[in-house]
């Protein structure tokens, strides 16, 4: 049927006033308003917040691009049968293997979200992909080395961080295996189209994931920047004086600040008023649960997943950090 | 989001990275060593934008609305926000505002294995973080009887006086730490003034929570250095 009703034609023409036109208006507004606005937006808190926001986005983008390119490459070039051979058949065994495999992805948490989504869409058991998602940003060589460098007098800090992070990832993976329900998790769709050249699949998947995850990265970066200029230092001092509150407090601070896992060791080292165990909690929680990750995970795997996954991970991570801190530090 | 719009958003983001990197202001946000990585990222973004533009053009020629690669959600529009912020707020490097929010005591990370003697020079330029380490862990032994020059910005103390301050990045501006030394015998200056303080180390309270001091012989204003962080 080629008959187009008047309403449909109207709808179509209305829809055409879309993206490009909006971008054009934004560009014109930018050019006209810039000199007027720049002077008015010179409040020091706003300036500092803007610098932190832009720096989080700029610092995370290369890692997000790495993760997206890697996950697009997995989707386009690695046959689905590869993962059946590489990982143990029993999911209970695949979880720790995938957790340990996290040690080879040299990136931060932004890279691991798209990669684990892509692993799921290629048939890897969700529990195993989630163990990888949690362990990769915390136990890879770059993070371990930066932790050693940041705590020169405390060699056990890096060991405790590695162990507590890996155990948390595996425990959360097993919890998901035992109690997780399929309908909570929206497995990202495979973008593989039959008869399409692999590089076409690659570019399409990379574009989609980058725009999608990038938008959520901006949400998380914005929230972290606002909190970065809004959390008063006096609160920290009050928390540091109570051993239990210090652990919970620094774990929450790690969630709010959303610092890249390759840099958080230096920030933890500077929080000298806190106990080593509290700082370990900061280092274990940060790469697994933070505002920009929560936003990225909600975008990739759905909100009903995020509501369950992030709090569970937080609780397990705090418990493991306390345990390993008490044992090793 | 239509394919040409996706291309435009990617192109905007790639151009922003390119502009910040080539224009030099990327050092306000991340470490200098990120430059090659940012350029590669910008190249990937622009290449993807080009591919999408070409696809959009080819598909409009053949009246084929594509293979339906899943709609890109509206949240992708937020990627325009960093571009807007850079152009409208034109963020400056972090300075006295951020430093004043951190504790005045030195963020000494850990005790160094060994403090080497200061290099030759009269006065000798010392990074503020290094000055703090030498003053606090070395009890000032490597600083005694030397004329020292610290370069940083002014963070005023609400109770009078000021610190010469430099912020240090571990990774990006979100994790900036403030390194500061209290300047004695100096005229008050407005916040965020860049100065070179030439002077001598004087002992203060010892211990981890101490505030390092410098007795100023000369304070001169300087333009903002190309890398505002240490």
């Amino acid at each position: 049927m080629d008959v187009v009703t008047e309403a449909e034609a109207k709808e179509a023409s209305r829809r055409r006033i879309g993206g490009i036109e909006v971008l054009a208006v934004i560009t014109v507004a930018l050019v006209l308003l810039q000199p007027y606005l720049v002077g008015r937006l010179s409040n020091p808190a706003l300036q500092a917040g803007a610098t932190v926001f832009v720096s989080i986005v700029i610092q995370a983008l290369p890692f997000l691009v790495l993760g997206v390119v890697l996950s697009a490459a997995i989707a386009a070039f690695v046959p689905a049968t590869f993962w059946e051979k590489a990982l143990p058949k029993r999911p209970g065994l695949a979880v720790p293997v995938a957790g340990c495999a996290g040690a080879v992805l040299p990136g931060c948490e932004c890279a691991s979200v798209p990669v684990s989504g892509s692993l799921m869409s290629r048939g890897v058991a969700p529990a195993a992909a989630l163990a990888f998602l949690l362990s990769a940003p915390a136990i890879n060589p770059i993070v371990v080395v930066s932790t050693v460098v940041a705590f020169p007098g405390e060699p056990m800090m890096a060991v405790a961080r590695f162990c507590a992070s890996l155990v948390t990832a595996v425990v959360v993976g097993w919890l998901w295996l035992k109690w997780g329900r399929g309908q909570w998790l929206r497995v990202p769709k495979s973008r593989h189209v039959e008869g399409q050249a692999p590089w076409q699949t690659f570019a399409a998947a990379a574009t989609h994931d980058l725009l999608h995850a990038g938008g959520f990265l901006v949400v998380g970066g914005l929230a972290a920047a606002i909190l970065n200029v809004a959390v008063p230092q006096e609160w920290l001092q009050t928390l540091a004086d109570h051993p239990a509150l210090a652990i919970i407090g620094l774990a929450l601070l790690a969630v709010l600040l959303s610092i890249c896992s390759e840099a958080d060791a230096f920030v933890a080292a500077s929080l000298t008023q806190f106990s080593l165990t509290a700082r370990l909690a900061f280092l274990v929680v940060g790469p697994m649960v933070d505002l920009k990750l929560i936003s990225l995970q909600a975008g990739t795997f759905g909100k009903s997943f995020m509501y369950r996954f992030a709090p569970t991970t937080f609780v397990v991570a705090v418990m493991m950090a306390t345990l390993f801190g008490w044992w090793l530090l | 989001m239509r394919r040409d719009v996706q291309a435009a958003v990617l192109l905007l983001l790639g151009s922003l990275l390119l502009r910040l990197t080539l224009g030099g202001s990327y050092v306000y946000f991340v470490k200098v060593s990120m430059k090659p990585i940012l350029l590669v990222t910008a190249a990937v973004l622009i290449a993807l934008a080009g591919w999408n533009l070409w696809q959009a053009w080819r598909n409009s020629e053949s009246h084929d609305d594509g293979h339906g690669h899943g709609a890109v959600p509206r949240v992708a529009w937020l990627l325009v926000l960093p571009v807007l912020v850079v152009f409208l707020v034109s963020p400056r490097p972090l300075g006295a505002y951020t430093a004043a929010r951190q504790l005045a005591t030195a963020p000494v990370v850990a005790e160094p294995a060994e403090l080497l003697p200061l290099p030759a020079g009269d006065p000798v330029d010392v990074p503020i973080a290094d000055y703090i380490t030498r003053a606090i862990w070395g009890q000032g032994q490597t600083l005694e009887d030397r004329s020292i020059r610290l370069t940083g910005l002014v963070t005023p103390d609400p109770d009078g006086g000021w610190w010469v301050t430099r912020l240090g990045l571990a990774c990006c501006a979100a994790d900036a730490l403030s390194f500061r030394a209290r300047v004695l015998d100096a005229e008050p200056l407005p916040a965020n003034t860049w100065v070179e303080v030439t002077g001598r180390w004087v002992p203060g309270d010892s211990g981890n929570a101490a505030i390092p001091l410098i007795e100023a012989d000369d304070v001169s204003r300087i333009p903002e250095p190309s890398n505002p962080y240490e």
Side-chain angles (χ1 to χ4, degrees):
Chain A
M1 283 247 289
D2 274 331
V3 181
V4 180
T5 67
E6 204 179 332
E8 272 171 343
K10 235 184 209 166
E11 178 67 26
S13 76
R14 195 183 315 143
R15 224 180 273 145
R16 242 171 250 130
I17 302 173
I20 287 294
E21 290 79 359
V22 173
L23 274 181
V25 170
I26 290 175
T27 315
V28 172
L30 267 184
V31 171
L32 292 179
L33 293 177
Q34 201 224 5
Y36 174 77
L37 280 171
V38 164
R40 283 170 189 263
L41 300 173
S42 59
N43 172 294
L46 181 73
Q47 282 277 333
T51 305
V52 171
F53 166 64
V54 174
S55 83
I56 289 177
V57 172
I58 291 184
Q59 177 68 34
L61 255 184
F63 294 100
L64 191 66
V65 167
L66 172 76
V68 160
V69 165
L70 219 54
S71 77
I74 291 172
F77 303 115
V78 180
T81 49
F82 171 82
W83 302 107
E84 288 166 22
K85 287 182 208 139
L87 284 170
K89 288 271 180 309
R90 286 179 46 205
L93 213 57
V95 168
V97 171
C100 294
V104 299
L105 182 71
C108 68
E109 57 269 30
C110 305
S112 64
V113 175
V115 171
S116 62
S118 169
L119 287 176
M120 280 183 210
S121 73
R122 297 299 267 166
V124 172
L130 292 176
F132 175 85
L133 165 81
L134 293 179
S135 76
I139 68 169
N140 73 66
I142 298 176
V143 172
V144 173
V145 168
S146 80
T147 311
V148 172
V149 171
F151 289 91
E154 296 284 347
M156 290 313 282
M157 194 63 171
V159 177
R161 180 181 196 180
F162 185 95
C163 297
S165 301
L166 184 55
V167 171
T168 306
V170 172
V171 167
V172 173
W174 278 335
L175 286 177
W176 184 265
L177 199 60
K178 184 98 176 67
W179 285 291
R181 296 226 192 99
Q183 76 258 29
W184 293 341
L185 179 74
R186 190 184 66 214
V187 175
K189 273 195 232 82
S190 172
R191 295 184 193 289
H192 208 88
V193 177
E194 288 307 317
Q196 198 178 28
W199 66 269
Q200 291 263 7
T201 311
F202 173 80
T207 303
H208 176 275
D209 291 357
L210 192 58
L211 288 168
H212 188 194
F216 285 99
L217 171 71
V218 169
V219 176
L222 201 58
I226 291 168
L227 284 157
N228 193 298
V229 293
V231 177
Q233 284 285 331
E234 299 86 67
W235 293 7
L236 294 185
Q237 193 56 57
T238 319
L239 286 177
D241 298 336
H242 302 268
L245 274 185
I247 294 175
I248 307 278
L250 275 202
L252 283 173
L253 188 71
V255 176
L256 299 183
L257 289 184
S258 307
I259 300 168
C260 181
S261 69
E262 289 170 8
D264 57 1
F266 296 96
V267 176
S270 77
L271 296 166
T272 45
Q273 68 268 45
F274 287 90
S275 67
L276 279 174
T277 303
R279 286 188 265 170
L280 179 64
F282 182 87
L283 294 180
V284 175
V285 170
M288 299 190 178
V289 192
D290 69 29
L291 288 180
K292 76 174 168 352
L293 265 180
I294 288 173
S295 183
L296 275 175
Q297 288 170 0
T300 310
F301 303 117
K303 276 197 193 116
S304 64
F305 167 79
M306 183 271 290
Y307 287 139
R308 294 172 172 95
F309 187 71
T312 312
T313 310
F314 181 84
V315 172
V316 175
V318 170
M319 277 163 41
M320 291 306 149
T322 313
L323 186 72
F324 279 91
W326 167 75
W327 181 33
L328 292 175
L329 295 176
Chain B
M1 202 184 246
R2 246 162 46 184
R3 190 152 239 169
D4 47 356
V5 185
Q6 296 178 22
V9 170
L10 289 173
L11 193 61
L12 264 178
L13 206 59
S15 318
L16 175 75
L17 279 189
L18 210 55
R19 193 198 107 127
L20 290 177
T21 316
L22 297 179
S25 51
Y26 74 104
V27 298
Y28 298 174
F29 308 105
V30 294
K31 287 182 82 99
V32 177
S33 53
M34 284 291 285
K35 187 172 186 173
I37 299 171
L38 290 177
L39 286 176
V40 170
T41 307
V44 172
L45 290 174
I46 292 168
L48 269 183
W51 180 80
N52 278 291
L53 267 185
W54 179 63
Q55 288 287 314
W57 175 76
R58 213 187 52 168
N59 287 341
S60 73
E61 286 250 301
S62 62
H63 297 282
D64 171 8
D65 62 356
H67 306 288
H69 280 295
V72 172
R74 279 160 192 272
V75 72
W77 275 104
L78 286 173
L79 282 169
V80 182
L81 197 62
V83 183
L84 285 177
V85 168
V86 167
F87 276 88
L88 294 181
V89 186
S90 62
R92 305 286 309 145
L94 296 178
Y97 175 81
T98 305
R101 285 174 42 80
Q102 301 190 5
L103 296 177
T105 48
V108 175
V109 166
E111 188 166 1
E114 185 190 11
L115 285 173
L116 297 172
L118 285 179
D122 186 43
V124 56
D125 283 303
V126 181
I128 298 178
D130 190 24
Y131 186 80
I132 293 172
T133 313
R134 288 171 186 277
I136 292 180
W137 289 110
Q139 275 97 42
Q141 281 166 9
T142 54
L143 300 169
E144 272 173 332
D145 305 323
R146 293 295 300 268
S147 175
I148 285 153
R149 187 162 57 199
L150 304 179
T151 306
L153 51 83
V154 171
T155 305
D157 184 344
D159 303 327
W162 50 276
W163 290 278
V164 57
T165 312
R166 204 72 184 258
L167 291 157
L169 305 189
C171 192
C172 74
D175 57 50
L177 293 177
S178 89
F179 298 106
R180 45 182 161 167
R182 199 170 176 89
V183 182
L184 307 175
D185 292 335
E187 294 293 307
L189 284 169
N192 288 320
T193 315
W194 279 90
V195 289
E196 274 178 354
V197 177
T198 311
R200 283 158 295 110
W201 172 79
V202 284
D205 302 327
S206 56
N208 194 14
I211 299 167
L213 309 174
I214 184 165
E215 179 126 8
D217 296 325
D218 178 61
V219 175
S220 49
R221 293 184 182 223
I222 54 161
E224 182 184 303
S226 61
N227 182 0
Y229 306 117
E230 246 177 22

